Every structure is written in C-alpha cells, then in structure tokens.
Amino acid sequence: MKTILVLGLLTIGLLFPANSIAQSLPSGKNIADNTYARNEGISLNRTLTMELKDKRGKTRIRKTTSLRKYFGDEKRLAIFYLTPKSVMGTAFLTYDYPDASVDDDQWLYMPALRKTRRISASNRGDYFLGTDLTYEDIKLETRISKDDYNYKTIGLETVDGKTCYVLDGTPKNNTIAKELGYSKVKLWVDTNIWMLRKAESWDVAGNHLKTTLISDIKKVQGIWTYHKIEVKNHKTNHETIFRISDVDYKTELNDDVFTKETLVNGL
C-alpha cells in the first residue's frame, strides 16, 4: 500500500506544479509522528564504534556498548565506553520522556573526574564526547523531533536509491535554536520505513554546518536497523563515522542497566 502511495505521489508530480505537489504530501508533523511510531523493539543491545577524523586526517577509534530499552513510551539509552583505555569507563545515560512539557534527563559519567554530570536542556546542543553529533542528536537517533521545529514538507527526492519526503525545519523560537545550535534543518525521511536517511543543518548564524548520512539500513530480527552514520562538520572539517554491529533485539535487558549507579559502576 505504501509503495502504491509513493508511486501515486510521483505520478502527481509529473502532472502538477511544485506547489500542488507540496500540498499533496503529508505534513511535517505527520512525518515526525511516524518516525516515532516505527517499531524499534523493546530492548536493544549493540556494539557502537565511533571513528573520529580531524581536518589533518588523524583518526581516533572509540568502541562502546550501546543499550536501549522502552519503559512504556519512555525511552532510555545507555552508552558505555570500552576502548581505548583513556576513555574506558566513560558512560552516558538518557531518559527520553514522552511528555514534551518535561525536560529529558541526561547524565554523563567521566571516570577521570569520578563525577557524574547532568546534561541540562540548555546543553543538549553540545557535541557528544568529541563526535560531530550533539547530545540531542544521539538521543533522537533516526527519529525527527516532534516538539522543537516547525516543519514544511517541500517535496520528494531519492537518497541511497530510496524515495524520501523532504522537510524544511526551523526551531519554534530563538531559545530552542540556541539550545540546539541550529537555525535550520533539511531532512530526508524514507517514505517506506519512516527512517531519517539524510540531514543538513545550519548554525544559529545561518552558516551551513553539517551533513549527516544514514546508510546500510536492513532488517535485523524483523526490525529496520541502521548500521552506519556519517557526519561531516563543514566548519571544522571534522568527521565522525558511527558503525553499528552485533545488533540484538531479542535479549531482554535488566532495568538496573539504566540507572545512575550502573553508569558509575559499569556493566
């Protein structure tokens, strides 16, 4: 049925001007809601490897275990750093609440400081541990925010051979823009599986900031799963490649994993 819908929209595109096409496409809110409605399983255990490249080509590798579990509509995500030794024991925990009026909780444990730091809403646009994604980006994964932007669906384009809805998004107010670090985003969402495949973002001064590509998307245990995220920062020429492997949705995770105590003590 979904394929028929997309073919219909493409056919309409051959017959009517661009403005008419935009009016026939689903709203940005509808698309954002569908990215949240996508099946992500209840529990997820995976290996997340981060490759960080600076402008001189120097590369650093970070290997982590990334765990996620849904408690009803509340999503909890924990990342534990395994290697190298310099960052081993570093851990991140986020509670993503379904109520938009409640700020999400995020904590970062740094073993060198023996201290757990709470990440406030005003810091959610900070870069996550030397990568080119922010704390907010890490929390969202391949969903698009339902609460922070006003969206306009502007058309259909192909990314990685897949048809995508194209959305322009602007933060709802200046406070949100400063928190996120973005003045504008352009998003490509797969029309079939409701997963973000590409994003462009601009900083608060209006400069083109980042390009994000999400690829190697395939089903694991019946659930659509991304295996690679590439992020290029155009201001710093820094790049981060996230590679996901050893994906397991079937093993139930203990609730105790998602606590500040485990953040400090490790798995």
Side-chain angles (χ1 to χ4, degrees):
M1 181 63 74
K2 189 68 185 174
T3 301
I4 294 173
L5 170 62
V6 172
L7 287 173
L9 292 170
L10 290 171
T11 301
I12 291 170
L14 297 175
L15 301 175
F16 296 94
N19 188 48
S20 298
I21 297 173
Q23 291 178 1
S24 68
L25 297 174
S27 69
K29 181 181 184 308
N30 178 268
I31 294 170
D33 287 344
N34 275 296
T35 66
Y36 278 75
R38 195 181 69 239
N39 179 21
E40 293 187 313
I42 302 298
S43 292
L44 170 61
N45 187 345
R46 59 194 167 181
T47 298
L48 172 62
T49 304
M50 308 174 194
E51 181 179 344
L52 290 70
K53 295 182 182 179
D54 67 18
K55 61 183 179 181
R56 296 181 293 275
K58 182 180 178 181
T59 299
R60 294 174 293 159
I61 303 293
R62 305 281 187 261
K63 187 175 182 180
T64 73
T65 292
S66 173
L67 307 166
R68 184 181 72 206
K69 186 172 184 177
Y70 279 91
F71 296 73
D73 291 331
E74 178 185 321
K75 185 179 83 169
R76 297 184 182 181
L77 172 70
I79 300 174
F80 297 88
Y81 278 66
L82 306 176
T83 60
K85 190 175 181 179
S86 60
V87 294
M88 184 172 61
T90 300
F92 173 69
L93 175 65
T94 181
Y95 289 3
D96 183 359
Y97 302 117
D99 186 346
S101 66
V102 179
D103 286 342
D104 297 329
D105 281 318
Q106 295 184 321
W107 300 273
L108 178 68
Y109 175 67
M110 307 287 285
L113 303 176
R114 297 182 179 182
K115 186 176 181 181
T116 300
R117 171 192 167 203
R118 188 176 185 280
I119 310 298
S120 68
S122 61
N123 296 123
R124 59 188 173 136
D126 290 354
Y127 287 107
F128 178 74
L129 295 175
T131 74
D132 294 287
L133 291 181
T134 66
Y135 287 98
E136 184 71 8
D137 296 331
I138 292 287
K139 184 198 77 175
L140 287 171
E141 301 185 79
T142 56
R143 301 181 303 186
I144 66 173
S145 174
K146 293 192 295 185
D147 307 310
D148 290 325
Y149 294 92
N150 293 314
Y151 293 113
K152 181 178 181 181
T153 312
I154 60 173
L156 289 165
E157 291 182 5
T158 300
V159 176
D160 204 14
K162 304 298 181 184
T163 305
C164 294
Y165 295 119
V166 186
L167 294 85
D168 277 342
T170 53
K172 290 185 175 178
N173 56 56
N174 289 336
T175 299
I176 291 175
K178 290 178 181 177
E179 287 180 358
L180 298 174
Y182 304 139
S183 63
K184 173 186 171 184
V185 293
K186 188 174 183 179
L187 308 170
W188 287 256
V189 177
D190 191 304
T191 59
N192 187 41
I193 61 174
W194 302 107
M195 186 177 285
L196 182 67
R197 285 188 175 269
K198 180 181 176 182
E200 301 279 2
S201 55
W202 286 259
D203 65 18
V204 290
N207 301 306
H208 190 201
L209 180 61
K210 291 191 297 188
T211 299
T212 302
L213 294 172
I214 297 157
S215 61
D216 194 9
I217 299 170
K218 54 193 174 187
K219 279 190 174 179
V220 177
Q221 296 164 352
I223 297 174
W224 287 107
T225 305
Y226 62 92
H227 291 77
K228 185 178 183 182
I229 301 176
E230 301 166 85
V231 191
K232 171 74 174 180
N233 187 313
H234 302 292
K235 287 181 70 176
T236 63
N237 286 322
H238 193 275
E239 297 178 58
T240 306
I241 301 174
F242 299 82
R243 291 186 172 87
I244 294 90
S245 58
D246 307 319
V247 177
D248 177 18
Y249 291 102
K250 291 187 175 180
T251 302
E252 186 175 354
L253 300 174
N254 193 309
D255 293 355
D256 293 341
V257 168
F258 303 92
T259 62
K260 287 190 286 184
E261 289 73 19
T262 302
L263 200 69
V264 174
N265 297 324
L267 294 171

